[in-house]
Amino acid sequence: MKVAAGKPLRFNVRAYGIWIHKEMLLVSEEKIFGRTVLKFPGGGVELGEGLIDALKREWMEEMNLKVEVDSHFYTTDFFQQSAFDDSQVVSIYYRVHGQNSQEAIRNMNADERSFWLPMSSINEDTFSLPIDKVVGEMLRLL
């Protein structure tokens, strides 16, 4: 990515959760700038916010789910320009678990839905976004 003279490089830091329950993975489908994407639940870290706090906030905002973080899973280790603006995306993924393992998740935004997919069907082609594809392949190899 070439940065225009005088234009600062922006980082877009994202925190995502990987919840696997009974060999099922929770995924989210969202419309982002008119494009439907299948992704891991989570989203952007706000200025002054920690990664885990951001992850917990995003899950509450999107699905009204309280999650606990079990462990770090993956952090982007390559350059990835955002598909939606000129920022560089850095995504951090955590293994999480929820307080309840309900089959149907009620999303707070009408344009979003979250649902369970069998782990046996998860691979890089499951997901829409480049970094999620890497994590999808990592999960396939577990």
Side-chain angles (χ1 to χ4, degrees):
M1 175 176 154
K2 292 186 178 182
V3 179
K7 187 173 183 180
L9 176 63
R10 293 186 324 108
F11 287 95
N12 183 349
V13 181
R14 321 286 297 169
Y16 295 105
I18 299 169
W19 186 8
I20 300 170
H21 179 73
K22 295 183 180 179
E23 293 301 311
M24 303 289 279
L25 174 69
L26 186 64
V27 298
S28 289
E29 185 179 74
E30 300 179 14
K31 284 196 179 210
I32 304 174
F33 297 108
R35 177 178 161 199
T36 300
V37 298
L38 190 66
K39 60 185 268 312
F40 290 93
V45 177
E46 296 177 355
L47 186 62
E49 186 175 46
L51 296 168
I52 291 173
D53 288 339
L55 174 62
K56 290 180 175 184
R57 174 187 51 75
E58 285 284 341
W59 278 58
M60 279 301 274
E61 286 178 3
E62 292 177 5
M63 299 172 289
N64 198 31
L65 284 176
K66 182 176 181 178
V67 292
E68 297 299 323
V69 173
D70 297 322
S71 60
H72 173 264
F73 186 78
Y74 176 74
T75 298
T76 310
D77 59 2
F78 58 92
F79 172 79
Q80 181 61 56
Q81 183 168 346
S82 172
F84 306 102
D85 62 28
D86 64 352
S87 65
Q88 178 175 341
V89 179
V90 177
S91 296
I92 301 92
Y93 298 79
Y94 293 95
R95 294 286 300 258
V96 302
H97 69 275
Q99 298 301 317
N100 56 2
S101 56
Q102 60 197 50
E103 292 298 318
I105 305 295
R106 188 185 64 181
N107 288 86
M108 306 310 284
N109 184 331
D111 289 340
E112 300 175 5
R113 73 181 184 110
S114 298
F115 53 95
W116 298 94
L117 286 177
M119 283 298 295
S120 60
S121 71
I122 301 301
N123 60 50
E124 67 182 316
D125 295 328
T126 304
F127 300 96
S128 304
L129 303 173
I131 304 169
D132 285 359
K133 287 179 174 292
V134 170
V135 175
E137 185 62 12
M138 291 172 71
L139 289 173
R140 183 186 70 79
L141 297 172
L142 286 180

